[in-house]
Amino acid sequence: MSVLVDEDTRVVVQGITGGEGKFHTEQMLEYGTNVVAGAVPGRGGQEVAGVPVYDTVQQAAREEDANASVVFVPPAFAADACFESLDAKGLDLVVAITEGVPTQDMARVYRKLQETDTYLVGPNCPGLITPGVAKLGILPGNIFSSGNVGLVSRSGTLTYQVVDNLTERGLGQSTAIGIGGDPIIGTDFIDALELFENDPDTHAVAMCGEIGGEDEEEAARYIGEHMDTPVAGFIAGRTAPPGKRMGHAGAIVSGSGTGTAESKISALEDNGVPVGDTPEEVADHIEDLL
Amino acid sequence: MRLHEYQAKQVFAEAGVPTPASQLAETVDEAVDAAEEIGYPVAIKAQVHVGGRGKAGGIKLVESKDEAREAADAILGMDLKGYHVSKVLVEEAVDFVNELYVGVTMDRGEGKPVAMVSTKGGVNIEEVAEEDPDAIAREHIDPAFGMHPFQARKVVYEAGVDRDVANDVASVLTTLYQLWDDRDGSDVEVNPLMITSDDEVVAADAVMNIDDDALFRQPELAEMGEEAAEGDELEQKADEYGFDYVRLSGNVGIIGNGAGLVMTTLDLVDYYGGTPANFLDVGGGAKADRIANALDMVFSDDNVDSVVFNIFGGITRGDEVAQGINQALEQFDEIPKPVVVRLAGTNAEEGMEILNEELVTVEYTLEDAVQRAVEFAQEVEA
């Protein structure tokens, strides 16, 4: 089994007529994802890669019975695209791939999200994949394999690295979720961990965090208090100097004792989560935990 | 992006926050003229992005023309914690009886803006936040509604601000929130907000940080920000190329795609006994030219003894990366520093096939690539 994405996931792609939208729609279709519609204002009636395009997400969801959307629109319009999907009744999942969405825009989207039952993954994320079934986003499908390890990560390419280490030794994945590294995101570590905890076919979880913010510390407490499924962790940015921003909006160390790699690693270890020094060691830990 | 004090004060003043009379000066003569015009005492303040300017000698209070000349001469051109001072703000010295902190920022944990007031102003507010968090009154703002007037009053009274000036402080806070909201602020602060013996409030300093991702809709501030840009020559070059780049003190140059993976590569360099010279993220979907620029950047850092490329392609294609590396290296008669390349993910095999192995060392795992680069760097140092 899996979380959030399975064979019944029917996807609308927002921004399907753009370069990225079109390319990744083709990739998703090739992987076996049910991409059932596109939504682009003014482009209703067109077709992209054999997929019908509608003017609004609402129309696309109604006509094609969609229950998920993937957002591939430019940063200036990304929040509006998220609002549109959150407003379209019947969508269970919205995945925002767009990088560089203004933080204040996301604060408003996050506010709206609290009024709905929809899961929003992202923004600035690679998306999520249930190997062998469906992928929503830009993850390279060929490195994943089907199995019982859940994966949740703030970083896209680090996800690929850890998956590679897992797959290499035959540890397949139930679902891998890239939640994104921005200061304000929809689905966070705790949401993802809760989903994995309740999934009978996820037997262990790999959690990849990084410096900045306190999400990992909170997730560590959640694991200690609420999880029976074992978790292994990795934290990127041990060598980052204080006060410098390292790419991800969140990846800055204030130097005030929270948000550092040390505080995250010790929070995880204090709650029974072994933390790997290298991505390969994460796979070692998962192997031991299974 | 962070504005200089003089720029932030200009934005604040236009919005209606009371600020002291001031003039910007770039030469000693300009500074002295400004001081004469404003009238003594004045403060002469270095305009650089450095905390604790006062303690570091970047702010001086002067009472006469001679003192003004001496202070301006000392501050202009000085090196303040690594930053060259080329501008000073000459400002009317405010005679105050009390100092407050007033600010608005994003609480990322809550996903909401938060308005803050503290009567412990005039000092490093981060230290106050850590040592005595209760000394800062806070109010979360619903971004859908903005700040209601009652919320501004609530946080001001909660902080214990003197009731004679409470309305004026609430008004400053309301203006700061509006600026934060309209101008895509990440941190907008006045510290200290001075209270004079006549119960006037005056913003004696001004901080305005803008969300880099929102600069596309803040053209006026983006322009100010370009003027405010300062720091490392290489970091400025990285800005031109559009890279996320941070210069570090070691000798192993690191190039990769994706912040988390690049940070992990840094950590592994350290783990295997080396020291990272930089963080360079080429971002997603980098084409050959961009890869060549990245290599050019890292080569131009004299501290670099070896370079490791760690690319895990998703949206980025390994063949494009390989072409970029070849393109950058083929122009040299002799490669200036050894380069180790690890390509995985999308089109990695195609990339490995076209990489010119006479110019680079190819490794197939992250661990091997990092260890090799560390060894190369150690050989150079030895």
Side-chain angles (χ1 to χ4, degrees), chain A residues 20 24 76 100-105 107-108 110-111 138 140 143 154-155 157-158 160-161 164-165 182-184 210-213 234-239 241 244-248 250-251 256 277-281, chain B residues 106 108 110-112 130 142-145 180-181 184-185 211-214 216-217 235 244 246 248 257-261 263-264 266-268 270-272 276 279 281 310 312-315 342 344-346 366-367:
Chain A
E20 298 278 326
H24 289 289
V101 183
T103 307
Q104 293 192 8
D105 291 6
R108 294 190 177 91
Y110 187 77
R111 161 72 169 71
I138 61 174
I143 61 170
R154 272 168 74 181
S155 156
T157 45
L158 178 57
Y160 310 160
Q161 176 65 48
D164 209 40
N165 291 109
D182 277 4
I184 300 180
E210 62 185 29
I211 52 169
F234 183 77
I235 300 293
R238 294 167 186 237
T239 49
K244 292 280 188 182
R245 177 173 155 164
M246 293 270 183
H248 277 167
S256 65
D277 284 333
T278 69
E280 204 171 17
E281 278 185 28
Chain B
M106 181 69 84
R108 54 176 287 173
E110 293 288 322
K112 283 179 184 168
E130 206 166 314
D142 186 327
F145 298 113
W180 184 90
D181 198 34
D184 280 296
D211 178 2
D212 289 315
D213 287 334
F216 68 88
R217 61 188 176 202
E235 290 185 358
D244 278 320
V246 179
L248 302 165
N257 64 326
L261 186 63
M263 280 193 280
T264 301
L266 260 69
D267 293 348
L268 283 190
D270 179 69
Y271 181 78
Y272 287 116
F279 166 102
D281 178 7
N310 181 26
F312 209 122
I315 202 164
R342 183 265 182 151
T346 310
L366 170 58
E367 288 79 6

Side-chain angles (χ1 to χ4, degrees), chain A residues 148-150 162 166 169 171 193 202-207 223 227-234 268-269 271-276 280-290:
Chain A
N148 56 16
V149 180
V162 172
L166 290 171
R169 59 181 80 187
L171 302 169
L193 290 167
T202 296
H203 297 173
V205 180
M207 172 183 150
I223 293 165
M227 284 186 75
D228 293 323
T229 309
V231 181
F234 183 77
L268 285 166
E269 287 178 343
N271 284 281
V273 178
V275 178
E280 204 171 17
E281 278 185 28
V282 180
D284 293 339
H285 289 310
I286 292 285
E287 210 162 31
D288 294 342
L289 294 172
L290 282 169

Side-chain angles (χ1 to χ4, degrees), chain B residues 101-116:
Chain B
Y101 165 87
V102 181
V104 178
T105 190
M106 181 69 84
D107 181 341
R108 54 176 287 173
E110 293 288 322
K112 283 179 184 168
V114 59
M116 297 172 291

Side-chain angles (χ1 to χ4, degrees), chain A residues 168-192:
Chain A
E168 203 169 74
R169 59 181 80 187
L171 302 169
Q173 305 90 45
S174 53
T175 300
I177 310 173
I179 58 175
D182 277 4
I184 300 180
I185 54 173
T187 300
D188 61 13
F189 280 124
I190 294 177
D191 299 324

